[in-house]
Amino acid sequence: MRPGFVAQNAGMKPPKRLLPLIEEGLIDTVDRQLMSGKEALVYVVGCGGQTRCAKVYKEASRRSFRQAVDYTENRKVKNSRQARAMAKGTRFGRESQESAWQSAEVDALYRLAAAGVRVPRPYNFCDGVLLMELVTDAAGNAAPRLNDLLFEPDLARELHATLLREVVRMLCAGVVHGDLSEFNILLASDGPVIIDLPQAIDAAGNNHARRMLLRDVENLRGFFGRFAPELLATLYGDEIWDLFERGLLLPDSALTGRFVRAAAAVDLEGVLVEIDDARLEEAARQLLLQTVR
Ligand SMILES: Nc1ncnc2c1ncn2[C@@H]1O[C@H](COP(=O)(O)OP(=O)(O)OP(=O)(O)O)[C@@H](O)[C@H]1O
Ligand SMILES: [Mg+2]
């Protein structure tokens, strides 16, 4: 290299979907692409001297059936024309569905931040791109996912407890994440940060809320149980849902991890939910087939 030469990181050629944000002056530079997920492409971008994160959503037809099911069930649409169009899978319906899906993540981020849950701070939502805080580690780099790390048993127990408390805070704010796992939690310098919320659901208005809450809590248990096996015997999900259903759940409710299931009726309810799920999954499959045709 020539003496005195200073390598400048001018970033990468901006992808097409980010051009409108550059024109609007919301983004100055696109530094690099972070991991590409199932639903979105994520970039590190520069905005007025700050480093931020831009999440560019993929189209509906590229997302999975499973997500479409839980999502279709959940979304409260603003008017009946929209609702009918979404049910029929017309172009207007698909567009409504698409923007509802994307803005659901923005809504959830604001709602959860207000409830004291540690989520990335949203800055803007423009043309299907969410601009938000870049969650960083102590060195200022994009924070790793829990899945990329190993934990001592003590830290695993501590993080499990911290994240259960976040789940409780979310539920107290009426939200179930719906896809919480070691892949959607980053470890920042100030602790765990929950990300990826487009499928977050309204706990009160959705028949699947219980099943999704239990699955979220089981995912935490399974992950941290690899490092602290005694966690595998806990039943925090049932305990949390039971308190919630009885109107007794508070952000700081004491939890034990123990739960005794009341017999009979529960099984029947479970079977009915399964039948309902299968029906909805098929409906969503049909809807998506129409979308890709
Ligand atoms: N605010 C953020 N700060 C730092 N990194 C982030 C942020 N948001 C997302 N990422 C990174 O980008 C990846 C994909 O983001 P996200 O999970 O929101 O999208 P996705 O398409 O749903 O991904 P997947 O399908 O893999 O779950 C994350 O695993 C994480 O590594
Ligand atoms: Mg994700």
Side-chain angles (χ1 to χ4, degrees), residues 35-288:
M35 211 166 307
S36 157
K38 292 186 295 294
E39 300 148 15
L41 301 174
V42 179
Y43 298 89
V44 177
V45 298
C47 316
Q50 305 271 327
T51 304
R52 288 185 184 159
C53 176
K55 180 168 177 175
V56 180
Y57 295 91
K58 293 182 186 170
E59 300 141 35
S61 55
R62 308 215 176 139
R63 295 194 299 257
S64 74
F65 292 154
R66 184 75 244 168
Q67 284 158 340
V69 175
D70 297 327
Y71 154 75
T72 321
E73 154 81 25
N74 172 44
R75 291 281 82 81
K76 281 191 188 128
V77 286
K78 292 194 176 69
N79 63 55
S80 60
R81 176 172 170 238
Q82 209 177 352
R84 279 198 307 277
M86 280 168 70
K88 282 193 201 151
T90 63
R91 192 172 64 84
F92 174 67
R94 287 195 296 276
E95 281 165 12
S96 300
Q97 200 164 35
E98 193 58 33
S99 65
W101 167 275
Q102 295 174 357
S103 64
E105 176 150 32
V106 186
D107 293 348
L109 286 175
Y110 281 111
R111 207 159 147 191
L112 293 179
V117 180
R118 178 68 176 101
V119 289
R121 183 170 168 201
Y123 289 106
N124 221 310
F125 179 67
C126 174
D127 285 338
V129 180
L130 169 61
L131 261 187
M132 63 181 148
E133 167 194 354
L134 178 72
V135 178
T136 56
D137 63 12
N141 300 313
R145 302 176 306 177
L146 289 187
N147 180 59
D148 300 320
L149 303 166
L150 294 172
F151 297 97
E152 293 297 330
D154 277 350
L155 185 55
R157 274 179 221 117
E158 190 186 320
L159 287 172
H160 180 254
T162 304
L163 285 160
L164 274 184
R165 193 50 62 193
E166 294 282 73
V167 168
V168 169
R169 276 195 201 111
M170 285 198 255
L171 194 52
C172 289
V175 177
V176 176
H177 186 291
D179 192 19
L180 192 63
S181 74
E182 61 273 27
F183 300 99
N184 284 331
I185 302 171
L186 305 179
L187 194 58
S189 48
D190 61 344
V193 181
I194 293 173
I195 62 163
D196 199 3
L197 290 135
Q199 71 296 309
I201 65 161
D202 195 337
N206 188 301
N207 296 332
H208 302 276
R210 174 177 174 275
R211 177 173 62 79
M212 294 177 92
L213 185 277
L214 293 184
R215 189 176 64 186
D216 284 356
V217 174
E218 271 164 28
N219 287 343
L220 294 178
R221 178 179 67 187
F223 178 72
F224 289 111
R226 288 185 220 160
F227 308 105
E230 78 279 7
L231 293 176
L232 296 174
T234 58
L235 289 174
Y236 285 105
D238 290 294
E239 184 184 11
I240 291 170
W241 187 259
D242 180 61
L243 288 171
F244 174 69
E245 233 177 8
R246 292 192 288 134
L248 299 175
L249 190 69
L250 297 171
D252 59 354
S253 291
L255 299 173
T256 63
R258 289 187 295 276
F259 182 73
V260 184
R261 237 176 234 127
V266 175
D267 270 340
L268 177 62
E269 190 194 332
V271 170
L272 289 176
V273 167
E274 282 308 312
I275 293 171
D276 207 31
D277 279 358
R279 192 178 54 74
L280 277 165
E281 193 154 5
E282 178 56 20
R285 203 175 65 82
Q286 293 297 341
L287 193 69
L288 280 168

